[in-house]
Amino acid sequence: MLKQELNLKLQQKLSPQQIQLMKLVQLPTVAFEQRVKEELEENPALDDQSSDFDDEYREEHDEWDNQNDDFGDDQVIDTSEINIDDYLSDDDVPNYKTYANNYSDDEERSIPYAQGESFIEYLTSQLNTFRLTPEQFKIAEFILGNIDDDGYMRRDVKSLVDDLAFSQNIYTSPEEIENLLTNYIQTMDPVGVGARNLQECLLIQLENKTVTESVELAEKLIIESFDAFTKKHYSKLIAKYGVDDNELRDAISEIEKLNPKPGKSFSSNSKIVEQITPDFTINIIDGDLELLLNGRNVPELKISSAFAEMLDTYKKTEKKSNEQKEAVLFVKQKLDSAKWFIDAVQQRRNTLLYTMEAIMKFQKDYFLTGDETKIKPMILKDISDRIGMDISTVSRVANSKYVTTPYGTFLIKDLFSESLTNEDGEEVSTREIKRILQDVIAEEDKRKPLTDEKLTEILKEKGYPIARRTIAKYREQLSIPVARLRKMI
């Protein structure tokens, strides 16, 4: 049986221009610069010469998605509807006149890096110092290829035997791999490389130190009582080995001097260090805050006059061929795409400035002083209500953008925090509480570190009534271990 129903449905769809704008907003500065360069390469209707864009165009063409540009093969293009002035600016300014105003003297340039030797290459070069058969050399080289950046060989010996058989057609035994690993690879520089776990790594380094009473005791701690040592059961260790506090302290000091990640001592120097490019800069001038948007490496965009003039030429042509019609369709599509992109770039700039300015004013006390205790509780909705934009837009700005202040460079989203109420009924930021918690732990007696219960009592005395489980959560977020693991002898 056929049924006829009437449904009322409300849908919200985003135009291609809105989607393009959202994608641009969430891009950080470096990615945005790359996106603009890609658009310049892909769209010949865009030009990177500095010029002001026609403000009258922005007022008259806010909704390009309402236009119908679907030309059929047999459809005649009405050139009278194409206004060339829509694509050109009447107040084009030569590039040299605006260069100084748009670009700073310290324009960023890529820093050249010399190609260095990788960690595995450094280890492989040391194999030539050993007397190995060709087959042993291939096996040792394969083992080195399985060492991670920390300097550990974390794979099982049996799996290495299987991989050598399948991938290298080399049949060996676990004993041969153990021999190459312990007698050759683990003697290489840096000391401790090739270890299969932290315990073995520390032991290799201790065996290479000058033998003293402290080193001998440190070796016993690693070999016989590693679990008790890692859990800092110092009283049990003192009773087991019959030593006093000073002797145990000296042995622990020898262990603390060791490198738990020997590979990092080499690999960190051979990798290119990625630098953060801030999206905003906040300066303090005469007691007031100044906000700057980093866009010095982004070229000034405009519609290519030569490309737009193609439409003018077509318009003046009396007899229009099919090839000319196809060409003018392509030209108009590229011009429309260029105008949409320029509008999106300008809207991105405005959105970033409006959002960051609202954040800067909200946290004015912090930006003027740099005191983290003056950071106010702030959530995305607070900024969203101030600027009249959606919460998702604020989130896109905050999650991927960095700001440079006189007190350092940090991610904008780190300024957002929930609020708690102190004993005076005032709302305070959770960041303020975490800062106080850090200061209390930093000043504690390391021989008797404060437990979470004691920390709860101290913060309550300071006017912050917080539950013990909340203290534990904040401590974990700050990567601070429990009291037992903070204990020092």
Side-chain angles (χ1 to χ4, degrees), residues 146-185:
N146 287 273
I147 292 179
D148 60 19
D149 291 339
D150 293 336
Y152 287 87
M153 209 290 291
R154 303 185 190 274
R155 296 195 60 192
D156 184 71
V157 172
K158 291 183 179 179
S159 65
L160 292 178
V161 174
D162 294 337
D163 283 354
L164 280 166
F166 283 111
S167 63
Q168 304 292 327
N169 199 27
I170 297 176
Y171 296 92
T172 185
S173 62
E175 291 76 19
E176 179 64 22
I177 291 182
E178 286 280 356
N179 173 54
L180 291 171
L181 185 64
T182 56
N183 296 327
Y184 295 93
I185 294 177

Side-chain angles (χ1 to χ4, degrees), residues 50-52 95 97-104 295-298 300:
S50 298
S51 68
D52 295 330
N95 188 34
K97 290 187 178 181
T98 57
Y99 185 87
N101 295 328
N102 287 301
Y103 298 90
S104 60
R296 52 191 174 185
N297 289 337
V298 179
E300 190 77 14

Side-chain angles (χ1 to χ4, degrees), residues 199-256:
Q199 183 178 9
E200 186 177 24
C201 178
L202 297 177
L203 186 59
I204 293 172
Q205 295 180 60
L206 286 172
E207 290 174 349
N208 282 270
K209 293 177 72 71
T210 302
V211 178
T212 62
E213 293 183 0
S214 298
V215 173
E216 289 180 348
L217 179 57
E219 289 182 4
K220 291 180 181 179
L221 295 177
I222 298 300
I223 297 173
E224 303 170 1
S225 306
F226 186 70
D227 186 60
F229 166 73
T230 56
K231 293 180 179 179
K232 297 192 175 182
H233 292 161
Y234 296 142
S235 57
K236 294 182 180 180
L237 296 175
I238 291 174
K240 180 176 181 179
Y241 295 103
V243 294
D244 56 26
D245 291 353
N246 292 329
E247 291 174 326
L248 181 61
R249 186 183 298 108
D250 292 339
I252 293 174
S253 177
E254 292 291 343
I255 298 175
E256 289 176 344

Side-chain angles (χ1 to χ4, degrees), residues 325-343:
K325 293 177 183 179
E326 293 177 359
V328 77
L329 173 59
F330 172 79
V331 169
K332 191 175 188 304
Q333 288 175 343
K334 290 299 181 182
L335 287 172
D336 290 342
S337 176
K339 291 197 298 184
W340 291 336
F341 188 78
I342 291 174
D343 279 349

Side-chain angles (χ1 to χ4, degrees), residues 25-178:
V25 166
Q26 67 185 10
L27 291 178
T29 296
V30 176
F32 174 65
E33 292 172 358
Q34 184 63 33
R35 177 68 183 88
V36 172
K37 292 179 182 178
E38 291 174 358
E39 189 68 21
L40 282 169
E41 294 174 357
E42 295 173 0
N43 193 344
L46 271 180
D47 198 352
D48 61 352
Q49 293 180 3
S50 298
S51 68
D52 295 330
F53 202 66
D54 194 357
D55 294 334
E56 295 180 359
Y57 150 73
R58 304 186 187 282
E59 298 176 0
E60 298 174 1
H61 302 272
D62 287 337
E63 298 181 358
W64 278 87
D65 53 304
N66 293 331
Q67 295 189 4
N68 184 10
D69 291 334
D70 187 14
F71 297 107
D73 294 337
D74 300 329
Q75 185 176 356
V76 178
I77 301 175
D78 187 3
T79 57
S80 62
E81 296 180 359
I82 301 176
N83 186 6
I84 305 303
D85 293 335
D86 289 343
Y87 301 95
L88 297 175
S89 176
D90 295 333
D91 53 354
D92 287 347
V93 180
N95 188 34
Y96 71 90
K97 290 187 178 181
T98 57
Y99 185 87
N101 295 328
N102 287 301
Y103 298 90
S104 60
D105 294 334
D106 57 341
E107 180 179 353
E108 288 189 2
R109 297 177 175 84
S110 59
I111 303 174
Y113 291 92
Q115 183 177 2
E117 186 180 38
S118 69
F119 180 47
I120 300 301
E121 290 174 345
Y122 174 67
L123 295 177
T124 304
S125 65
Q126 297 182 55
L127 286 178
N128 298 318
T129 62
F130 302 123
R131 292 184 177 179
L132 300 174
T133 65
E135 182 173 327
Q136 286 179 324
F137 188 91
K138 290 183 178 180
I139 296 174
E141 195 174 24
F142 185 81
I143 296 173
L144 292 180
N146 287 273
I147 292 179
D148 60 19
D149 291 339
D150 293 336
Y152 287 87
M153 209 290 291
R154 303 185 190 274
R155 296 195 60 192
D156 184 71
V157 172
K158 291 183 179 179
S159 65
L160 292 178
V161 174
D162 294 337
D163 283 354
L164 280 166
F166 283 111
S167 63
Q168 304 292 327
N169 199 27
I170 297 176
Y171 296 92
T172 185
S173 62
E175 291 76 19
E176 179 64 22
I177 291 182
E178 286 280 356

Side-chain angles (χ1 to χ4, degrees), residues 18 29 53 141 153 223 236 265 312 382 389 397 415 472:
Q18 290 173 313
T29 296
F53 202 66
E141 195 174 24
M153 209 290 291
I223 297 173
K236 294 182 180 180
S265 61
D312 192 25
D382 294 331
M389 295 183 181
V397 175
L415 292 171

Side-chain angles (χ1 to χ4, degrees), residues 187-448:
T187 62
M188 291 181 177
D189 180 68
V191 181
V193 70
R196 283 158 285 191
N197 51 56
L198 177 60
Q199 183 178 9
E200 186 177 24
C201 178
L202 297 177
L203 186 59
I204 293 172
Q205 295 180 60
L206 286 172
E207 290 174 349
N208 282 270
K209 293 177 72 71
T210 302
V211 178
T212 62
E213 293 183 0
S214 298
V215 173
E216 289 180 348
L217 179 57
E219 289 182 4
K220 291 180 181 179
L221 295 177
I222 298 300
I223 297 173
E224 303 170 1
S225 306
F226 186 70
D227 186 60
F229 166 73
T230 56
K231 293 180 179 179
K232 297 192 175 182
H233 292 161
Y234 296 142
S235 57
K236 294 182 180 180
L237 296 175
I238 291 174
K240 180 176 181 179
Y241 295 103
V243 294
D244 56 26
D245 291 353
N246 292 329
E247 291 174 326
L248 181 61
R249 186 183 298 108
D250 292 339
I252 293 174
S253 177
E254 292 291 343
I255 298 175
E256 289 176 344
K257 295 176 184 177
L258 306 178
N259 187 0
K261 296 180 179 180
K264 293 298 183 183
S265 61
F266 181 90
S267 60
S268 60
N269 294 328
S270 61
K271 290 184 178 179
I272 296 177
V273 179
E274 295 184 1
Q275 295 181 340
I276 294 175
T277 301
D279 303 88
F280 302 96
T281 301
I282 294 180
N283 298 320
I284 302 176
I285 300 177
D286 298 331
D288 293 328
L289 297 175
E290 179 190 48
L291 176 63
L292 300 175
L293 176 64
N294 183 6
R296 52 191 174 185
N297 289 337
V298 179
E300 190 77 14
L301 300 176
K302 60 171 285 188
I303 297 295
S304 173
S305 57
F307 212 77
E309 286 172 359
M310 294 180 186
L311 286 181
D312 192 25
T313 303
Y314 175 82
K315 185 177 180 180
K316 295 177 181 179
T317 303
E318 295 181 357
K319 294 182 180 181
K320 302 174 177 61
S321 63
N322 290 332
E323 290 78 6
Q324 287 177 318
K325 293 177 183 179
E326 293 177 359
V328 77
L329 173 59
F330 172 79
V331 169
K332 191 175 188 304
Q333 288 175 343
K334 290 299 181 182
L335 287 172
D336 290 342
S337 176
K339 291 197 298 184
W340 291 336
F341 188 78
I342 291 174
D343 279 349
V345 169
Q346 182 61 34
Q347 291 180 43
R348 174 190 182 271
R349 180 180 182 278
N350 294 338
T351 300
L352 295 184
L353 285 174
Y354 291 154
T355 305
M356 191 60 210
E357 187 176 7
I359 295 174
M360 182 181 69
K361 291 180 179 179
F362 197 99
Q363 302 290 357
K364 183 177 181 180
D365 293 340
Y366 166 69
F367 286 118
L368 286 175
T369 63
D371 186 358
E372 289 191 0
T373 60
K374 292 189 177 182
I375 295 180
K376 298 179 182 178
M378 181 177 65
I379 58 177
L380 295 175
K381 191 175 185 303
D382 294 331
I383 304 302
S384 173
D385 293 340
R386 286 197 171 202
I387 63 177
M389 295 183 181
D390 192 78
I391 293 178
S392 62
T393 303
V394 180
S395 177
R396 285 185 175 91
V397 175
N399 286 338
S400 58
K401 308 293 186 301
Y402 286 84
V403 58
T404 293
T405 70
Y407 320 106
T409 301
F410 50 83
L411 198 60
I412 296 175
K413 74 173 183 179
D414 293 341
L415 292 171
F416 290 85
S417 62
E418 298 290 340
S419 63
L420 290 175
T421 305
N422 59 17
E423 290 183 344
D424 298 330
E426 300 175 347
E427 287 190 348
V428 295
S429 171
T430 54
R431 284 194 53 161
E432 177 180 342
I433 298 173
K434 290 179 182 179
R435 181 67 179 181
I436 295 173
L437 181 62
Q438 280 182 308
D439 293 341
V440 171
I441 294 177
E443 297 172 358
E444 70 182 358
D445 183 3
K446 297 304 180 183
R447 294 188 176 185
K448 296 181 180 179

